Amino acid sequence: MFLTPTREERQVEDVMLVTSGPLIFAAVLCISTGVLIQQNFSVSYPSTSICGLKGSFVDMPCTYSYPSDRHIRETFWHINWFPEAPTDLSLDSKYQGRVEYLGDKVDNCSLRIKDLRDSDTKEKYRFRLTTDDRKGTFSGSEVSLSLADLHVTVSPESVKQGDKVTLTCSTTCSLSNNPTYI
Ligand SMILES: *[C@@H]1O[C@H](CO)[C@@H](O)[C@H](O)[C@H]1NC(C)=O
Ligand SMILES: *[C@@H]1O[C@H](CO)[C@@H](O)[C@H](O)[C@H]1NC(C)=O
């Protein structure tokens, strides 16, 4: 009996065609989860969309792993991807002095971006690690950044001296670090 390939089987064939670009291959499988895995390389973000307040800072939590027979050379975040080779965000003039790598060279790749600007939301952020092996370079999937607008509502709307008033702060997206309002 001859069976025509099911939809899934055909998809697998399609994916196999792009194995010459291993990153693309992995991205097809895992992009929706924020985890990108390839040959024991993995970069994982608990959240791929981060929200912050203009002028404030955000942390982009991130963990990674790599084959045990390799040694880590560089760990950095980048925004550029193509056509130039990815370069360290902290050396980018638009970000100079505003990015702080909170991670290490073991498994933590968290990043902090400070003094957030509107233009920061136009980029996609990726963690990258390079190892002592020429082929042992890997970038995670993308993290996007949005800036929240802050709204304050007063309830009740009109009050006189001595009345109890409730001030409510709300944001247009849910802030990733627990903010304090003053
Ligand atoms: C890759 O991962 C597999 C499964 O977890 C493990 O058995 C193997 O030792 C790993 N290889 C390296 C080089 O880290
Ligand atoms: C990574 O490091 C940062 C900064 O030290 C820390 O806040 C965070 O909890 C660490 N994340 C993990 C998963 O260990």
Side-chain angles (χ1 to χ4, degrees), residues 46 59-63 101-104 107-112:
D59 289 347
M60 297 181 172
C62 171
T63 54
Y101 185 62
L102 302 175
D104 51 35
D107 57 8
N108 189 333
C109 43
S110 304
L111 182 77
R112 175 168 294 178

